């Protein structure tokens, strides 16, 4: 009989004076090692950046009315951090944001955001604990139901697209469906889901880059192991249709990224 999965480490809720002793507290980060223990590198949708933080609550009573204390995963398998997040309106199987900026991108009461999808807790040894069209995924902060469209027929104009973490949904595809038509050698299929209830996905084949890969072709820059097109926000029509010149923090370059207007 397999052993149960190890419970994820959770960052404690530090005292104010303990936080002042940590030089990386609330500093921007890109990886787990950018943060001193016991901090985790947490992404914020509202601020469009990652920052080092401890837990801000341990239970719901520490949160203002309308918010609930939820454990959130951090970059690179770092410790989970407990944060007060809104109780939202997103239904089961709809996309969500782990640290949502508002109710519109948060899961409804009774559901939790697991790897970008709203779902209910489930039992790994009881598949029926998830409704039809879902499967029980073994992932922090605990087994959760995630959507699947495998073996199902999607509505006209949509395709069954995998998210790379086991889940799959029927979505409108922008760009090349590189899960259906694989990329050429040396290029990786990059899939970006929108955070809207009506699921859309941007797909493209990008050259790989990094230590074990060749340098990017002329005119492209390496960003997180992908060669992307650089741009300047004041230059019109520099990006292809469906893309916009964006950067998520001052430390990142301006690049053509999917034009996802989040609700």
């Amino acid at each position: 009989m397999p052993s149960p999965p190890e419970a994820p480490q959770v960052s404690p809720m530090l005292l104010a004076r303990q936080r002042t002793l940590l030089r990386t507290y609330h500093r921007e980060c890109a990886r787990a090692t950018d943060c001193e223990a016991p901090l985790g590198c947490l992404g914020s949708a509202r601020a469009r950046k990652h920052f080092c933080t401890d837990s801000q609550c341990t239970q719901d009573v520490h949160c203002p009315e309308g918010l609930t204390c939820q454990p959130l995963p951090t970059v690179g398998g770092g410790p989970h951090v407990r944060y007060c997040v809104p109780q939202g309106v997103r239904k089961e199987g709809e996309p969500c944001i782990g640290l949502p900026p508002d109710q519109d991108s948060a899961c409804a009461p009774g559901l939790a955001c697991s790897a970008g999808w709203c779902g209910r807790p489930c039992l790994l040894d009881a598949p029926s604990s998830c409704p039809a069209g879902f499967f029980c995924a073994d992932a922090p902060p605990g087994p959760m139901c995630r959507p699947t469209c495998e073996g199902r027929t999607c509505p006209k104009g949509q395709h069954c697209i995998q998210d790379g973490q086991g889940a799959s949904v029927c979505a409108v595809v922008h760009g090349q469906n590189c899960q259906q038509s694989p990329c050429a050698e040396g290029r990786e299929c990059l899939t970006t889901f929108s955070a809207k209830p009506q699921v859309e996905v941007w797909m493209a084949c990008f050259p790989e880059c990094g230590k074990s890969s060749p340098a990017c072709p002329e005119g492209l820059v390496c960003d997180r192991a992908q060669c992307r097109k650089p741009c300047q926000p004041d230059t019109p029509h520099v990006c292809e249709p469906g893309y916009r010149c964006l950067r998520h923090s001052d430390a990142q370059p301006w690049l053509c990224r999917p034009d996802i207007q989040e609700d």
Side-chain angles (χ1 to χ4, degrees):
M1 184 177 186
S3 57
E6 186 177 345
Q9 179 187 359
V10 178
S11 177
M13 184 176 175
L14 300 176
L15 299 173
R17 64 174 180 273
Q18 293 176 307
R19 292 169 179 163
T20 60
L21 296 175
L22 298 171
R23 60 181 180 80
T24 58
Y25 183 72
H26 269 207
R27 294 272 186 90
E28 285 195 39
C29 54
R31 56 190 67 85
T33 53
D34 291 340
C35 303
E36 300 159 274
L39 306 179
C41 182
L42 180 68
S44 168
R46 181 183 294 277
R48 290 188 174 275
K49 68 178 183 179
H50 288 75
F51 60 97
C52 299
T53 184
D54 61 333
S55 290
Q56 304 296 296
C57 60
T58 59
Q59 49 190 325
D60 289 348
V61 295
H62 294 145
C63 299
E65 185 177 356
L67 303 184
T68 178
C69 186
Q70 295 285 344
L72 304 177
T74 59
V75 170
H80 281 51
V81 294
R82 290 186 173 274
Y83 244 77
C84 295
V85 301
Q87 290 186 322
V89 296
R90 293 291 171 91
K91 301 174 183 176
E92 192 166 27
E94 289 186 346
C96 55
I97 297 175
L99 183 54
D102 49 41
Q103 288 183 312
D104 289 340
S105 51
C107 298
L111 304 176
C113 189
S114 175
W117 305 102
C118 291
R120 69 183 75 176
C122 56
L123 301 173
L124 291 174
D125 56 356
S128 60
S129 59
C130 289
F134 292 79
F135 70 101
C136 189
D138 184 11
M144 301 289 295
C145 295
R146 289 188 191 166
T148 178
C149 53
E150 300 298 323
R152 301 164 68 92
T153 301
C154 290
K156 186 177 180 180
Q158 298 184 19
H159 300 271
C160 185
I161 303 298
Q162 300 174 353
D163 72 347
Q165 300 184 77
S168 57
V169 293
C170 293
V172 175
V173 175
H174 299 281
Q176 175 188 349
N177 187 343
C178 43
Q179 291 185 3
Q180 191 175 73
S181 302
C183 299
E185 185 177 355
R187 291 176 174 255
E188 184 177 352
C189 181
L190 189 64
T191 302
T192 305
F193 285 86
S194 70
K196 298 180 179 181
Q198 177 61 42
V199 181
E200 298 177 74
V201 62
W202 277 253
M203 305 179 74
C205 292
F206 285 100
E208 299 177 40
C209 57
K211 294 180 180 179
S212 58
S213 301
C216 289
E218 186 176 355
L220 302 180
V221 298
C222 189
D223 178 66
R224 298 186 181 183
Q226 302 293 333
C227 295
R228 289 182 175 271
K229 182 178 179 178
C231 57
Q232 289 298 324
D234 55 354
T235 304
H237 312 300
V238 66
C239 297
E240 292 79 7
Y243 287 78
R244 188 157 53 106
C245 193
L246 297 169
R247 66 175 178 178
H248 294 159
S249 75
D250 293 341
Q252 293 180 326
W254 290 97
L255 299 171
C256 290
R257 299 182 184 275
D259 187 7
I260 300 176
Q261 300 290 341
E262 296 176 356
D263 293 335

